[in-house]
Amino acid sequence: MAKSTLQTKPCADGFCFLAGLFFGLFCFWSLTLYHYKPHFDFIPYSAKASDYGGEAPILHSDPPHETFYDDPELSYFIEKPVNNWDQKRHVWLDLHPSFTAGSRDRVLLVTGSQPSVCKNPIGDHLLLRFFKNKVDYCRLHGHDIFYNDAYLHPKMDSYWAKLPIIQAAMVAHPEAEWIWWMDSDAVFTDMEFKVPLGRYKDHNLVVHGWPNMVYEEKNKSWTGLNAGVLLIRNCQWSMDLIDVWASMGPLSPDFERWGQILTSVFKDKLFSVSDDQSSLIYLLFTNKEKWGDKTYLEGEYNLEGYWLALVGKYDTLGESYIKMERNEGVLRRRHAEKVNDWYDAEREKYLQGHERRPFVTHFTGCQPCSGEHNPQYSADSCWNEMKRALNYADNQVLKNYGFVHPELTSSEVSVVI
């Protein structure tokens, strides 16, 4: 009998069977994934910043194109004015487009202390806690921070020391729209409050003050504003202001004469030395069109609040906030620190019409490092109230970690129930 020429090959049949099986499984798997919707909208670990609405700043590269940093004439020194800064900064941002997103609201907080050891036995400890307070606030609100403990000009010390630091910070941080200076003895006592930067879109300098005490002749006072906390825009106007402002300080050969002028203008000024605060007020009212019109005197919240007027409110306001949380479940809910912004916005709904915590408590006149406080109040009142203010602010941070200072006078903590 003749053999069939169409003999079946077992290996080929097996291959076809397996191929068909895998193809069917692939189709089923594809359709299943296509229609599958996860129960939790988690973000994969590899998600880019663009998934959140904007590219993250690129920190690991710098384009080779020349910028103002390549200019051999560039100087960070306050005795050499910075010119054409707006254009230089604009070019730098164009070459670093990843920094452009959100640049109008980008803030660098600058603070510092003297380079020497504090004379006050608890001064260094207090300065450390003051710095921690500022770091906490910046972490919660996404601000960068720079702490300086060196005089950037040998003659510009004490209250004049901030001007060289602010100018150098502007040059070092062209990506920052605002430089926020805070004296070392100023404490954030409302860790949730956000500065309303949109309010200052037409201004370049923001300080806490009162227009009538700055511009009205009969009410003019050297305390018409406080220069210990200020927001200054990173622009040429600010560079020019710093240049003129510094020329009234210890760098000027007319420094002593400026002290006499300011003492004659401000009848309530008790010392004859030219200081940064009365000098700034003098510039604002003598050239209002150039300097005053671009300066916002903030008085609606405590951008800088005098400590004696505020420390007595901590306990009452603390109870008020606790009561608010008890009545509103969403505010009482435990949550991760990273989502604080959402809860802060919710709290704002319930704060309408109620007194809120002072934003900044400034211990002006206490001098925690030198200990040479104003004689009108005792050393103990300064140091004890500083501790209370720091613990009051710390409670707003520690609650996210499950702890709280039950007594503002003590640094001891207990578990939040």
Side-chain angles (χ1 to χ4, degrees):
M1 183 177 177
K3 294 182 179 180
S4 170
T5 58
L6 299 175
Q7 185 177 2
T8 303
K9 297 180 180 180
C11 183
D13 289 347
F15 176 82
C16 292
F17 173 78
L18 289 172
L21 178 62
F22 283 127
F23 180 77
L25 288 173
F26 175 78
C27 293
F28 175 78
W29 176 70
S30 299
L31 290 171
T32 303
L33 283 183
Y34 182 79
H35 291 289
Y36 174 70
K37 293 183 178 179
H39 295 290
F40 301 99
D41 294 323
F42 65 90
I43 299 173
Y45 178 76
S46 60
K48 298 179 180 179
S50 58
D51 296 332
Y52 297 89
E55 289 290 340
I58 297 174
L59 307 177
H60 56 266
S61 67
D62 194 18
H65 305 81
E66 286 192 359
T67 68
F68 64 89
Y69 288 116
D70 298 294
D71 183 355
E73 299 297 318
L74 172 69
S75 175
Y76 298 79
F77 205 47
I78 194 167
E79 288 193 85
K80 187 169 183 180
V82 177
N83 299 313
N84 200 26
W85 178 239
D86 291 338
Q87 177 63 19
K88 291 173 180 176
R89 182 170 173 247
H90 180 75
V91 170
W92 190 92
L93 286 171
D94 279 348
L95 293 173
H96 299 77
S98 66
F99 287 93
T100 302
S103 63
R104 299 296 295 176
D105 293 331
R106 188 169 289 123
V107 173
L108 171 68
L109 190 142
V110 180
T111 187
S113 58
Q114 77 300 315
S116 58
V117 175
C118 290
K119 294 179 182 179
N120 184 1
I122 61 171
D124 290 308
H125 171 71
L126 288 172
L127 289 183
L128 175 63
R129 292 203 63 192
F130 278 116
F131 180 48
K132 176 199 177 297
N133 168 263
K134 295 174 178 69
V135 170
D136 281 337
Y137 183 86
C138 288
R139 184 185 71 254
L140 292 171
H141 296 276
H143 302 325
D144 289 333
I145 185 169
F146 171 58
Y147 190 97
N148 179 68
D149 62 353
Y151 292 133
L152 301 191
H153 193 289
K155 291 184 177 180
M156 300 286 275
D157 58 2
S158 187
Y159 34 70
W160 288 103
K162 62 172 165 279
L163 297 188
I165 301 169
I166 292 172
Q167 177 176 301
M170 287 182 178
V171 178
H173 287 271
E175 83 287 352
E177 181 69 11
W178 291 96
I179 304 298
W180 188 351
W181 171 263
M182 283 193 71
D183 280 356
S184 58
D185 57 356
V187 187
F188 287 109
T189 41
D190 187 346
M191 303 299 283
E192 296 176 351
F193 186 80
K194 295 177 178 61
V195 172
L197 293 176
R199 183 185 298 181
Y200 315 128
K201 61 183 178 63
D202 297 323
H203 297 83
N204 297 329
L205 177 66
V206 184
V207 289
H208 194 93
W210 300 266
N212 65 316
M213 296 173 68
V214 172
Y215 299 111
E216 293 180 9
E217 188 64 35
K218 62 178 181 179
N219 294 315
K220 200 176 272 70
S221 169
W222 82 284
T223 60
L225 60 80
N226 189 289
V229 179
L230 60 86
L231 282 153
I232 187 166
R233 193 182 297 277
N234 194 354
C235 66
Q236 185 62 50
W237 182 95
S238 300
M239 292 289 190
D240 295 340
L241 173 64
I242 290 173
D243 185 43
V244 175
W245 193 359
S247 71
M248 301 174 71
L251 291 179
S252 172
D254 297 322
F255 181 51
E256 290 187 8
R257 186 175 67 86
W258 273 119
Q260 297 169 0
I261 293 173
L262 296 174
T263 305
S264 66
V265 170
F266 300 103
K267 304 304 181 182
D268 60 341
K269 184 172 166 59
L270 302 178
F271 53 98
S272 59
V273 177
S274 175
D275 67 288
D276 65 320
Q277 186 165 292
S278 53
S279 297
L280 177 59
I281 298 173
Y282 183 87
L283 290 174
L284 296 185
F285 74 75
T286 55
N287 196 341
K288 188 175 185 297
E289 184 176 347
K290 184 170 185 179
W291 307 121
D293 290 347
K294 285 292 184 179
T295 298
Y296 195 104
L297 298 177
E298 182 60 78
E300 293 188 25
Y301 64 91
N302 294 111
L303 178 63
E304 180 281 337
Y306 183 44
W307 66 279
L308 277 178
L310 301 177
V311 293
K313 299 181 178 182
Y314 293 159
D315 293 324
T316 302
L317 287 173
E319 287 298 324
S320 174
Y321 274 67
I322 290 173
K323 182 178 179 180
M324 186 189 308
E325 291 180 356
R326 287 173 180 165
N327 293 337
E328 305 300 335
V330 67
L331 300 180
R332 191 170 63 249
R333 184 187 180 201
R334 294 178 181 177
H335 58 272
E337 188 179 69
K338 281 294 185 183
V339 295
N340 262 16
D341 275 357
W342 188 87
Y343 287 88
D344 295 349
E346 285 296 304
R347 188 187 304 277
E348 288 296 324
K349 299 176 183 178
Y350 302 101
L351 281 172
Q352 301 299 323
H354 293 83
E355 184 177 7
R356 66 178 306 137
R357 296 177 290 225
F359 180 41
V360 173
T361 302
H362 190 191
F363 286 88
T364 180
C366 275
Q367 303 295 328
C369 189
S370 69
E372 298 171 358
H373 57 87
N374 189 317
Q376 72 176 7
Y377 28 79
S378 68
D380 284 344
S381 66
C382 278
W383 320 145
N384 291 339
E385 293 301 339
M386 284 179 178
K387 292 175 185 176
R388 290 183 70 248
L390 290 163
N391 286 337
Y392 182 67
D394 205 31
N395 277 346
Q396 299 166 45
V397 177
L398 281 181
K399 68 179 182 180
N400 288 321
Y401 296 81
F403 293 87
V404 70
H405 300 288
E407 298 293 335
L408 296 183
T409 54
S410 171
S411 292
E412 294 184 3
V413 298
S414 63
V415 176
V416 175
I417 300 175

